[in-house]
Amino acid sequence: MNQNFISQTALDQMVSSDRDQMLKAAVPYLPPKGQQILSVYEKARELANTAALFGNPRNDVSICSTQTADPMEALNDIRRFCYGQSRRFLDNAVNMMAVVQMIQLMNTPAESEENFKT
């Protein structure tokens, strides 16, 4: 399978590069002191890039234009970047929201019933 990209959040895409990802992938193959130094170096670069991105008051940065997204859609999108207990928590939240939506639909009278009553 030819994969040209890795799964990254919108913020990660804006503050890191392919080189940064490559260096992070190399961390497990280094001796412990090298892992520590490279990990701190890469995280410091990300922090500096993030500060530069949002630090300029003239630069109106918006990570994404889906600020008015459906909450269910937002949770499902966030879920793609989670694993373990966080993913199970989001799954439970999505399931509960689905149940609430079904209850709301069941309690909403059909349009034909409303037109018939008036």
Side-chain angles (χ1 to χ4, degrees), residues 63-92:
I63 291 176
C64 191
S65 62
T66 59
Q67 294 172 357
T68 58
D70 172 44
M72 186 80 91
E73 184 180 325
L75 286 176
N76 280 316
D77 187 47
I78 293 167
R79 184 185 177 278
R80 296 182 307 133
F81 303 101
C82 298
Y83 57 91
Q85 186 176 357
S86 297
R87 180 172 263 188
R88 286 189 295 277
F89 174 79
L90 286 178
D91 287 342
N92 288 337

Side-chain angles (χ1 to χ4, degrees), residues 15-78:
V15 299
S16 66
S17 67
D18 292 344
R19 179 184 162 275
D20 295 327
Q21 293 301 316
M22 183 182 69
L23 290 175
K24 284 193 239 178
V27 167
Y29 302 100
L30 298 173
K33 191 66 175 171
Q35 290 178 1
Q36 180 183 10
I37 291 169
L38 187 58
S39 296
V40 171
Y41 170 75
E42 278 304 312
K43 290 302 178 181
R45 279 181 46 90
E46 283 184 10
L47 179 60
N49 290 343
T50 303
L53 181 68
F54 291 104
N56 186 350
R58 290 183 226 153
N59 194 10
D60 186 22
V61 177
S62 177
I63 291 176
C64 191
S65 62
T66 59
Q67 294 172 357
T68 58
D70 172 44
M72 186 80 91
E73 184 180 325
L75 286 176
N76 280 316
D77 187 47
I78 293 167

